[in-house]
């Protein structure tokens, strides 16, 4: 099939590359000429495991192209996917639709022949109807159907999740659109379930899923808080809970609160959607508030551990919002650092992939180290804020020799408490003694 994808971010780029790998002919359109230039020369603009190889091989096979021009990218396509951002309004949390609406206006004149216009971005219920109207107003003779095809990929596993989806949700109100999307995913049909629903239900499935996962993370964090006041151990509690198939064992890792470009934004947008219908989504509203507070509480834990040390030096491992990605958007680590910087502290940080993005956000407010070890030099405390597996391989003897005070605050429960204590560290983690 011939596909255009508008937006080459964390969703659009892996999706475009993977659709090309399935054998489709894909044109990725982005209005950022710098990104398009990089991608044309075979350089991915984001970090995702395996992306660079597939990007280069599909460009070489002539199945994948990049352009800044709708006039070049949209005509003659069976499917045009919109994968642009839907960031939160800073005050209300409402999803900002300006990029979706702009993309719809810009693509409309170039539709020719039958096209399924697919919204991949995460959008409020009713967006398909609004975009349908924008396109019809701009191009009254266009022959197209609107489809909602929410994206469930996890950053860090984007390609794996594309090729092994738990499910593919298709919100389509016409048989023609359903047939087009079935053809698109035919190469994956044998290994997943395609669920066809109303477009409006599909739009809500994405928000309802992310809000549920956010609630699950906050729940285990609260259980961890309780464990810290008792003799219970959160790792054992989570394991025991997870064996119940009604609960499941995923998303039961306590930590510094959820972050990233999706959960905070999507829970805020869901809460706003409730408020705008005069419905109190009390659970989601509480989780939103308490998850924000949790990052401040974690910063306070670090400061408490440094009480009495003048101008302490803090070593931080982890800046990205989770392992496997360079994405630092609303990362707990970044929010904890911002809270720490309100005090008289010096911070040195390291992250295997996230440092370029963290540098853009933090500038020279903190120092960046090139290795784990360089981060630790003369530190009064080490705080582990992202769950990169390589942090678990830290050489504890060397770490102790490098640091001024042997104190580790492990907010991802990556290290083995017995080993760390045996190496002579004071060790605090989450929900464990
Ligand atoms: P992003 O900010 O990384 O990428 C958006 C891209 O769209 C940018 O490259 C931007 O230059 C481009 N763009 C914006 N307006 C454009 C226009 N008019 N024409 C051409 N290009 C344009 O965003 P993202 O993280 O990929 O998220 C995209 C959507 O997917 C959001 O709605 C998000 O909620 C949703 N989503 C994201 C993830 C994730 O893990 N990041 C997962 C599932 C769903």
């Amino acid at each position: 099939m011939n596909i255009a994808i508008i937006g080459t971010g964390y969703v659009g780029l892996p999706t475009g590359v993977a659709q090309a790998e399935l054998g489709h002919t894909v044109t990725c359109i982005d209005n950022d000429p710098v990104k398009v230039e990089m991608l044309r020369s075979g350089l991915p603009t984001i970090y995702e495991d395996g992306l660079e190889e597939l990007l280069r091989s599909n460009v070489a096979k002539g199945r994948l192209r990049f352009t800044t021009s709708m006039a070049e990218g949209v005509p003659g396509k069976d499917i045009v996917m919109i994968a642009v951002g839907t960031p939160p309004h800073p005050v209300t949390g409402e999803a900002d639709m300006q990029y979706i609406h702009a993309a719809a206006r810009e693509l409309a004149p170039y539709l020719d022949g039958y096209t399924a216009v697919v919204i991949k971005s995460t959008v409020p219920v009713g967006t398909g109807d609004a975009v349908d109207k924008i396109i019809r107003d701009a191009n009254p003779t266009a022959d197209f159907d609107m489809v909602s095809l929410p994206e469930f990929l996890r950053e860090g596993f984007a390609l794996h999740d594309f090729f092994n989806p738990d499910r593919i949700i298709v919100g389509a109100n016409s048989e023609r659109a359903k047939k087009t999307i079935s053809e698109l995913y035919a190469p994956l049909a044998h290994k997943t379930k395609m669920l066809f629903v109303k477009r409006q239900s599909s739009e809500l499935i994405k928000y309802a899923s992310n809000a549920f996962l956010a609630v699950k993370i906050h729940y285990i964090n609260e259980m961890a808080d309780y464990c810290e006041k008792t003799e219970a151990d959160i790792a054992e509690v989570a394991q025991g809970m997870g064996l119940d198939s009604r609960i499941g064992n995923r998303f039961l890792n306590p930590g510094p609160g959820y972050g990233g470009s999706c959960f905070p934004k999507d829970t805020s947008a869901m809460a706003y959607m409730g408020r705008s219908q005069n419905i109190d989504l009390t659970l989601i509203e509480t989780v939103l508030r308490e998850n924000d507070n949790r990052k401040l509480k974690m910063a306070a834990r670090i400061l408490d551990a440094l009480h009495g040390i003048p101008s302490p030096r803090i070593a931080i491992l982890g800046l990205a919002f989770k392992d496997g990605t360079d994405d630092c958007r609303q990362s707990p680590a970044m929010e904890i650092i911002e809270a720490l910087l309100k005090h008289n502290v010096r911070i040195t940080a390291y992250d295997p992939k996230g440092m370029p993005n963290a540098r853009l956000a933090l500038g020279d407010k903190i120092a960046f180290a090139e290795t784990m070890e360089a981060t630790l030099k003369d530190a009064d405390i080490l705080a582990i804020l992202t769950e990169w597996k390589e942090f678990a391989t830290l050489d504890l003897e060397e770490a102790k020799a490098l640091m001024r005070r042997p104190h580790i605050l492990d907010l991802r429960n990556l290290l083995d408490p017995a080993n760390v204590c045996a190496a002579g560290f004071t060790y605090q983690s989450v929900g464990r003694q």
Side-chain angles (χ1 to χ4, degrees):
M1 299 183 92
N2 265 320
I3 307 168
I5 300 182
I6 300 170
T8 59
Y10 285 88
V11 167
L13 182 60
T15 304
V17 168
Q19 292 287 7
E21 182 67 12
L22 288 185
H24 300 302
T25 304
V26 180
T27 305
C28 290
I29 306 168
D30 202 291
N31 59 7
D32 181 340
V34 178
K35 283 190 184 178
V36 168
E37 215 33 66
M38 268 182 83
L39 293 166
R40 277 183 177 154
S41 60
L43 291 174
T45 41
I46 56 166
Y47 175 75
E48 269 297 338
D49 196 23
L51 188 63
E52 184 160 356
E53 294 82 336
L54 284 195
L55 167 70
R56 285 172 187 259
S57 69
N58 281 287
V59 168
K61 286 176 195 151
R63 292 202 296 243
L64 182 60
R65 277 194 294 273
F66 298 94
T67 179
T68 53
S69 158
M70 296 275 185
E72 194 185 317
V74 173
K77 298 297 186 290
D78 303 301
I79 297 174
V80 175
M81 285 190 194
I82 302 176
V84 301
T86 48
H89 184 282
V91 178
T92 63
E94 176 186 7
D96 181 350
M97 288 292 107
Q98 63 167 308
Y99 304 103
I100 297 276
H101 292 171
R105 277 192 301 273
E106 291 159 20
L107 74 86
Y110 302 106
L111 292 175
D112 62 352
Y114 173 70
T115 314
V117 176
V118 167
I119 300 188
K120 259 237 154 283
S121 305
T122 302
V123 293
V125 177
T127 300
D129 302 306
V131 169
D132 186 279
K133 183 167 182 327
I134 290 172
I135 297 177
R136 282 191 205 288
D137 286 350
N139 184 351
T141 59
D143 182 17
F144 72 100
D145 283 313
M146 288 306 304
V147 177
S148 160
L149 198 63
E151 181 54 65
F152 297 99
L153 66 77
R154 296 165 300 162
E155 282 183 28
F157 300 90
L159 292 174
H160 173 274
D161 289 352
F162 179 92
F163 292 114
N164 305 280
D166 285 341
R167 78 295 206 196
I168 295 169
I169 304 291
V170 185
N173 296 352
S174 84
E175 288 310 314
R176 203 162 54 152
K178 288 180 197 167
K179 193 165 158 284
T180 306
I181 303 302
S182 300
E183 204 183 319
L184 175 71
Y185 285 108
L188 298 177
H190 63 286
K191 54 162 101 166
T192 189
K193 174 158 177 59
M194 275 181 100
L195 181 66
F196 292 93
V197 296
K198 284 169 65 182
R199 210 167 55 212
Q200 293 79 357
S201 307
S202 168
E203 290 166 341
L204 184 54
I205 285 170
K206 174 66 193 180
Y207 281 115
S209 302
N210 272 3
F212 183 83
L213 292 172
V215 169
K216 197 172 178 189
I217 293 170
H218 185 65
Y219 183 81
I220 202 68
N221 283 339
E222 287 197 333
M223 288 302 116
D225 286 347
Y226 183 77
C227 285
E228 285 169 12
K229 302 284 182 198
T230 67
E231 291 294 310
D233 180 309
I234 194 65
E236 293 175 354
V237 173
Q239 193 185 9
M241 286 170 63
L243 288 171
D244 184 331
S245 59
R246 294 169 303 176
I247 296 174
N249 61 8
R250 294 168 72 187
F251 280 75
L252 287 180
N253 301 320
Y258 61 78
S261 68
C262 288
F263 285 3
K265 161 177 97 59
D266 294 348
T267 42
S268 299
M270 186 70 240
Y272 177 85
M273 283 156 63
R275 269 180 257 131
S276 64
Q277 299 293 343
N278 292 322
I279 293 172
D280 255 346
L281 298 174
T282 50
L283 189 55
I284 295 174
E285 297 275 10
T286 306
V287 167
L288 259 176
R289 189 186 62 239
E290 291 308 316
N291 188 66
D292 283 347
N293 283 339
R294 186 160 184 88
K295 294 164 197 168
L296 302 179
K297 285 181 191 163
M298 294 297 133
R301 272 191 200 192
I302 297 174
L303 293 168
D304 283 351
L306 294 166
H307 186 68
I309 303 172
S311 189
R313 198 179 274 276
I314 303 172
I316 285 184
L317 290 181
L319 295 162
F321 83 93
K322 63 174 190 171
D323 62 334
T325 182
D326 61 347
D327 196 347
C328 294
R329 291 178 286 180
Q330 289 198 262
S331 162
M334 300 289 281
E335 295 184 11
I336 289 169
I337 289 172
E338 291 288 3
L340 291 172
L341 285 172
K342 298 200 169 93
H343 300 263
N344 179 21
V345 298
R346 289 167 296 165
I347 298 176
T348 305
Y350 167 77
D351 186 283
K353 299 289 175 197
M355 293 209 289
N357 283 334
R359 260 199 193 100
L360 284 178
L362 292 168
D364 57 6
K365 288 197 265 182
I366 68 168
F368 294 92
E370 291 309 315
T371 62
M372 279 200 283
E373 293 71 25
T375 320
L376 299 174
K377 190 149 173 22
D378 294 331
D380 294 298
I381 193 166
L382 162 62
I384 300 177
L385 302 186
T386 310
E387 66 272 41
W388 287 99
K389 287 184 190 57
E390 71 176 77
F391 297 160
T393 66
L394 186 69
D395 180 331
L396 293 169
E397 292 302 323
E398 190 184 356
K400 189 161 172 240
L402 285 166
M403 291 175 69
R404 201 152 58 183
R405 288 168 74 243
H407 194 141
I408 296 179
L409 187 54
D410 177 3
L411 296 184
R412 298 289 186 167
N413 290 358
L414 269 187
L415 306 181
D416 177 357
N419 286 347
V420 189
C421 294
F425 281 89
T426 304
Y427 179 67
Q428 292 168 273
S429 55
V430 183
R432 307 188 294 185
Q433 268 66 49

